[in-house]
Amino acid sequence: MNDHNIASHLPVTALILAGGRGTRMGGQDKGLVKYQGRPMIEHLLDAVTPQCERVIISCNRNLTRYRAYQHHVVTDTLFPFAGPLSGLLEAMRLCEKSTWTPATQWLALLPVDAPRLPPNHIAWLYHFIKQHPKVQAILPEDKHGIQPLFALISTQSLTSLHTYLSRGERSVKGWVNTLPHLQTRTPDEWGPFVNINTVKNLP
């Protein structure tokens, strides 16, 4: 097994994006909707906690329940309900002002409605950093194409992101395309990334 396939604590902060309105889920808070008997966010936490130094949860509802998981919680303050990039911006701001040791330059984006995340996803992306030290984003690609909501993003892109949102732009892919970035095909055995974002997709 290659080193990048071994789950271990990496200098990465996982950002679980749970701040949407859940429109396609009938208004439910997707992170708290049960999948295989447990809230979807718990599946994500199981997958990323062994790999990352820390976890940030981006949410705008049910803050008490999310804080009960004893991870850092951020809400959309500068750009309320402006999509995943708003949550990413708040996470970057938290990383910038925190005195965490060790510090982490990289944020791993993870939508909360993806409970089938491959267990070594973050480690797989991270192993490309030393090979490409000038990139600010690493995007996975499966058979359906680029998956920007599962990207690894450098916190050094904070100013760029704030400027992009200030212009009224909201596209994750559109913003990442403005950065020095790398696209990489995920292992075939992982299959496509799956989002459980509608009630009919629940098991």
Side-chain angles (χ1 to χ4, degrees):
M1 181 180 290
N2 296 328
D3 288 346
H4 58 257
N5 288 326
I6 300 173
S8 59
H9 278 281
L10 299 166
V12 173
T13 295
L15 171 59
I16 299 179
L17 299 164
R21 299 181 188 275
T23 304
R24 287 180 289 180
M25 194 67 77
Q28 298 182 75
D29 190 328
K30 289 187 290 187
L32 303 176
V33 171
K34 288 189 176 181
Y35 173 81
Q36 295 182 349
R38 302 170 63 205
M40 279 200 271
I41 192 169
E42 294 184 8
H43 295 273
L44 267 295
L45 291 173
D46 285 350
V48 303
T49 301
Q51 297 183 67
C52 299
E53 286 293 340
R54 62 189 61 86
V55 176
I56 297 174
I57 301 171
S58 168
C59 61
N60 291 303
R61 297 181 287 170
N62 299 303
L63 270 63
T64 300
R65 291 192 61 183
Y66 282 117
R67 286 176 177 142
Y69 289 110
Q70 299 185 334
H71 292 288
H72 306 278
V73 170
V74 295
T75 60
D76 295 352
T77 55
L78 294 181
F79 301 95
F81 286 105
L85 288 180
S86 182
L88 175 58
L89 179 69
E90 299 298 342
M92 285 186 178
R93 294 175 68 215
L94 176 60
C95 290
E96 183 182 56
K97 69 182 180 182
S98 295
T99 57
W100 291 329
T101 302
T104 54
Q105 176 188 340
W106 293 90
L107 281 165
L109 273 64
L110 300 163
V112 76
D113 58 2
R116 302 178 194 171
L117 184 77
N120 294 307
H121 167 73
I122 297 172
W124 169 258
L125 292 180
Y126 186 78
H127 93 278
F128 291 101
I129 291 173
K130 290 184 179 179
Q131 303 171 43
H132 303 275
K134 294 184 179 180
V135 302
Q136 292 186 21
I138 302 175
L139 288 84
E141 178 182 6
D142 63 17
K143 69 178 184 179
H144 296 302
I146 300 299
Q147 301 295 332
L149 289 182
F150 293 87
L152 198 61
I153 306 286
S154 171
T155 57
Q156 294 180 351
S157 57
L158 171 60
T159 300
S160 168
L161 178 55
H162 187 277
T163 300
Y164 186 81
L165 284 166
S166 296
R167 295 201 304 262
E169 304 284 356
R170 298 293 182 262
S171 168
V172 179
K173 187 175 181 179
W175 172 66
V176 171
N177 282 337
T178 70
L179 304 175
H181 66 278
L182 167 72
Q183 297 173 192
T184 181
R185 183 65 183 256
T186 54
D188 290 339
E189 61 267 25
W190 286 6
F193 290 98
V194 177
N195 294 80
I196 313 295
N197 54 14
T198 65
V199 174
K200 68 179 182 180
N201 288 338
L202 290 169

